Amino acid sequence: DGYRPSTGTPFPSYFLPSLFVFIASWIINWARWPEPLDMYIFVPLWWSFILLLDAIVYKRNYGRSIFSTTPTTFKLIFAVSSVAWWSFEYLNYFFLELWYYPNADLFTSFGRTFWYLLSFTVVWPGIFEFYSLLRTFPFFRNRYSQGMTIRFPVWLQVALLFGGFALAFLSGIFPRPLFFALWLYPMLLAALAM
């Protein structure tokens, strides 16, 4: 489509603060110092990284990025991200207990819920920002301009739909052998619903 990344657009105002927080968070995370600050660094590390990605997209995309041009969409993405991840937490808590949080005892029950809520907001914004960044490179923009087309015959769509429901049901009965289904069936059902 003849797209060329911008070379003259300056970085947005949030670039330098995000860069500073990202570098400081990275150092604290890897050095595990100073304690106990290192236990609280996940959210600042990831949000500064997401804002850095957005700032780079802003610069390369002529002053347009998710955060700068559609802040309501940006807020919606991180709200949906948190809700989506809570669904995995729900399934893990009641069925599998495959993972746990070693720092959970640092917070009260309310504090833990609030911290998880913040932590879960980083997943989808990170994915959307990285996608936006890749689209500022002509190779990726042109190569996938029509998206990846995958067409399944109707019989396979129906089989996958019933397979997803079967996995959802059976993972509640056989949680250990079907632990992988926790990650597979929600995405399978969502993809088929779209």
Side-chain angles (χ1 to χ4, degrees):
D1 66 7
Y3 174 84
R4 287 196 217 304
S6 170
T7 55
T9 305
F11 281 109
S13 60
Y14 51 89
F15 173 74
L16 285 178
S18 297
L19 181 62
F20 174 76
V21 171
F22 178 72
I23 291 170
S25 299
W26 189 262
I27 291 168
I28 292 167
N29 188 56
W30 281 99
R32 293 286 181 211
W33 179 86
E35 288 186 19
L37 187 59
D38 64 316
M39 295 181 190
Y40 303 97
I41 212 66
F42 179 85
V43 172
L45 175 67
W46 274 98
W47 271 108
S48 61
F49 177 68
I50 289 165
L51 288 174
L52 274 176
L53 288 177
D54 189 85
I56 295 167
V57 169
Y58 179 96
K59 178 170 179 46
R60 291 181 56 85
N61 202 31
Y62 301 92
R64 296 184 54 83
S65 68
I66 298 172
F67 182 67
S68 69
T69 57
T70 55
T72 303
T73 300
F74 192 78
K75 292 172 193 168
L76 182 63
I77 292 169
F78 79 78
V80 170
S81 179
S82 189
V83 170
W85 194 259
W86 271 112
S87 66
F88 286 111
E89 288 294 327
Y90 173 83
L91 295 170
N92 179 60
Y93 180 79
F94 286 104
F95 295 114
L96 297 173
E97 295 182 344
L98 286 178
W99 64 86
Y100 69 98
Y101 298 94
N103 298 333
D105 59 340
L106 297 174
F107 299 103
T108 64
S109 180
F110 173 78
R112 188 170 38 252
T113 301
F114 182 73
W115 186 251
Y116 292 167
L117 181 70
L118 283 178
S119 298
F120 301 159
T121 63
V122 303
V123 180
W124 285 18
I127 291 168
F128 277 82
E129 288 293 353
F130 212 87
Y131 170 78
S132 296
L133 177 63
L134 289 176
R135 290 206 22 98
T136 67
F137 292 92
F139 170 79
F140 292 109
R141 186 179 189 93
N142 296 333
R143 174 77 171 94
Y144 299 107
S145 63
Q146 301 300 315
M148 294 180 69
T149 304
I150 301 173
R151 290 197 170 86
F152 293 120
V154 174
W155 68 267
L156 184 56
Q157 291 177 27
V158 171
L160 289 172
L161 183 65
F162 282 106
F165 282 122
L167 279 175
F169 177 74
L170 292 172
S171 67
I173 298 170
F174 306 108
R176 294 286 174 210
L178 294 175
F179 73 92
F180 65 90
L182 175 67
W183 302 101
L184 184 61
Y185 76 78
M187 291 181 282
L188 183 64
L189 294 175
L192 289 169
M194 293 178 184

